[in-house]
Amino acid sequence: MSQHNPSNASAAAALPGRHPRWQPKRPDWLAAAGVLFAVAWGGNEFTPLLAMYRIHEHMSVQSVNVLLGAYVVGIIPALLIGGPLSDLRGRRPLMHLAPALSIAGSILLMLGGDDHVLLFVGRIFSGLALGLVMAVGSSWIKELSTRPYSNSGDAGAGARRATMALTVGFALGAVVAALLAQFTPIPEIAPYAVNIVLTAALWLMLIGTPETNPTVTGVPLGDETKVSTKHESLGQALKLKEAVSPRFLLVVLPMAPWVFGAAASAYAVLPSLVMDQVPGFEVAFAGILCFVALSFGVLSQQMARKFIKPHSQRAIASAMCAVIVGVLIAALSAFTHSMVITVIAAAALGFAYGLLLIAGLQETQRNARPEHLGGMVGVYYSLTYLGFFIPAILSALAPMITYGVMFVIGAIIAALSVVLIVFGTRKH
């Protein structure tokens, strides 16, 4: 027998144009997830094209690495500022800005060709767009997955939906871009043109999605009965006490760089180990290996509902154990240069990435105050993106230490991280 909750009914009635009993045919969170998916597609389509720019445009490895790094130059400020700004001004305005920036970035990359300046600026725009949807979109999807905006889904539904949209976008963006670059006569145009059309179409679906930020709407979410009405400045909103709490520093901080460290190792380091075995198909192979890794990331996120509970105290430590397994298989791949083991290693690292991403996001969302949700999600994702420096560090050390040895050392560091995380979980 269903029970009527007066607070939820009045909250739903407070939403413009909504009746408490009216339910939309399409869930509101789906539109926000669609934009997150499209912008993630645009953010990762460049990764498998690195080989194309080196081969077709005769760019040096250093030039390509600079272009790859430009992405992080855009994404970190967008994460750190976009999240708190959405806590002050609402989710919807910034989520409409993100696809516009993404389309602009793809246009610049499409026109760039061998123009380093256009490619550099295009990558920054793509990073800005992705930073906004990761911080703001993840928060919006979480809020749209709770009452009064949705009556379906458990406490972890918002985190699962956000990470699924992000990972599927990363995966499809990489493999489609690689295949278009490998097999179409316009390899420098086709990948970006497809993303422009896709992003524009999903952007239109976002129209009409309601604002959810409780600080802006005054509408309580879920079981929340108190909503802060204090109007902070952006400077005050950036001072997130949750980010320097012992729990966050001992549990989230040690695991966060491993999220994209595992993923980036799978599709930026592993392909180089066996690239000489696929002459003429380097771009397609890089894209396929990226797709394998991220597909297993999607699989692990699907399975997360069963063994990573929203309030689990051991979720992050368990996910870190999966990282250790993936890194050890990567070490075996580096020692043997076996194509089969390399594919297995990519799958294992991708599986670990998926578990770690959702476990860390759930931990962050659970401990963030409602008025600081966007800011804390931005801090979390900023820390995860530190992992993108791992391939660069490994390549810099490669003349002195073999990749196999470096992966073994990485597994030892990951094991020490697990010890620290378990201590932090029990202590705080």
Side-chain angles (χ1 to χ4, degrees):
M1 179 180 295
S2 63
Q3 296 180 347
H4 178 68
N5 189 326
S7 62
N8 286 336
S10 60
L15 297 175
R18 290 191 173 230
H19 185 278
R21 295 183 179 178
W22 181 81
Q23 292 293 330
K25 293 182 180 179
R26 184 193 69 213
D28 286 321
W29 65 264
L30 191 59
V35 171
L36 179 54
F37 161 80
V39 175
W41 177 306
N44 207 37
E45 64 187 348
F46 189 84
T47 304
L49 303 184
L50 297 177
M52 178 193 74
Y53 286 108
R54 287 199 299 266
I55 295 170
H56 294 180
E57 302 300 336
H58 306 289
M59 291 186 183
S60 66
V61 174
Q62 182 180 6
S63 297
V64 170
N65 286 337
V66 168
L67 293 174
L68 189 63
Y71 172 65
V72 179
V73 171
I75 198 170
I76 298 295
L79 283 168
L80 294 178
I81 297 175
L85 191 59
S86 76
D87 289 332
L88 292 176
R89 300 290 181 256
R91 317 295 184 206
R92 188 163 56 183
L94 291 173
M95 274 295 281
H96 277 286
L97 175 61
L101 291 172
S102 180
I103 290 173
S106 288
I107 290 174
L108 289 171
L109 292 169
M110 184 171 62
L111 298 176
D114 58 353
D115 189 323
H116 287 221
V117 174
L118 282 181
L119 291 174
F120 187 85
V121 176
R123 288 292 289 160
I124 290 178
F125 271 68
S126 297
L128 288 170
L130 185 57
L132 286 179
V133 295
M134 289 177 75
V136 182
S138 297
S139 303
W140 204 14
I141 292 169
K142 179 185 185 298
E143 292 166 348
L144 288 168
S145 298
T146 59
R147 294 181 180 180
Y149 305 96
S150 173
N151 291 324
S152 62
D154 53 52
R160 285 196 304 272
R161 290 163 178 170
T163 55
M164 281 286 292
L166 185 71
T167 304
V168 173
F170 282 156
L172 291 181
V175 71
V176 171
L179 295 177
L180 289 173
Q182 183 76 63
F183 299 111
T184 63
I186 47 174
E188 297 172 355
I189 295 176
Y192 304 118
V194 169
N195 177 250
I196 290 169
V197 174
L198 175 69
T199 304
L202 292 176
W203 185 9
L204 290 175
M205 294 178 61
L206 195 65
I207 296 173
T209 305
E211 178 59 63
T212 58
N213 184 344
T215 306
V216 175
T217 63
V219 178
L221 294 174
D223 296 327
E224 300 283 348
T225 57
K226 295 175 66 177
V227 178
S228 173
T229 58
K230 180 181 178 181
H231 296 285
E232 297 178 313
S233 66
L234 181 58
Q236 291 172 323
L238 289 171
K239 297 177 182 178
L240 302 166
K241 294 182 179 179
E242 299 97 315
V244 292
S245 67
R247 171 86 180 190
F248 190 85
L249 294 176
L250 290 174
V251 177
V252 177
L253 181 59
M255 56 75 62
W258 289 101
V259 175
F260 286 113
S265 296
Y267 52 72
V269 176
L270 293 182
S272 64
L273 301 178
V274 292
M275 195 67 78
D276 58 340
Q277 299 180 36
V278 287
F281 294 94
E282 294 89 350
V283 178
F285 177 73
I288 291 172
L289 206 60
C290 181
F291 181 75
V292 169
L294 293 174
S295 294
F296 274 82
V298 173
L299 175 63
S300 66
Q301 288 168 2
Q302 288 278 53
M303 298 170 61
R305 173 179 292 199
K306 295 183 178 179
F307 56 90
I308 293 187
K309 303 301 180 183
H311 300 288
S312 172
Q313 297 296 306
R314 295 184 294 271
I316 291 178
S318 300
M320 280 298 301
C321 291
V323 171
I324 296 172
V325 173
V327 173
L328 288 176
I329 298 175
L332 184 60
S333 167
F335 285 130
T336 63
H337 293 275
S338 165
M339 180 73 74
V340 174
I341 296 177
T342 299
V343 173
I344 294 173
L349 287 170
F351 191 88
Y353 147 82
L355 290 180
L356 209 54
L357 181 65
I358 192 170
L361 183 58
Q362 285 185 356
E363 170 74 18
T364 302
Q365 290 180 340
R366 181 173 65 246
N367 293 299
R369 289 182 291 174
E371 63 269 26
H372 287 165
L373 177 62
M376 284 304 299
V377 171
V379 170
Y380 167 66
Y381 277 131
S382 297
L383 293 173
T384 65
Y385 263 91
L386 293 176
F388 265 103
F389 291 104
I390 289 180
I393 294 172
L394 295 181
S395 64
L397 295 174
M400 298 173 286
I401 309 174
T402 65
Y403 275 106
V405 173
M406 285 190 285
F407 278 128
V408 171
I409 295 173
I412 295 172
I413 296 173
L416 295 175
S417 299
V418 172
V419 174
L420 181 60
I421 290 165
V422 171
F423 170 78
T425 301
R426 294 177 177 177
K427 185 72 174 176
H428 303 280

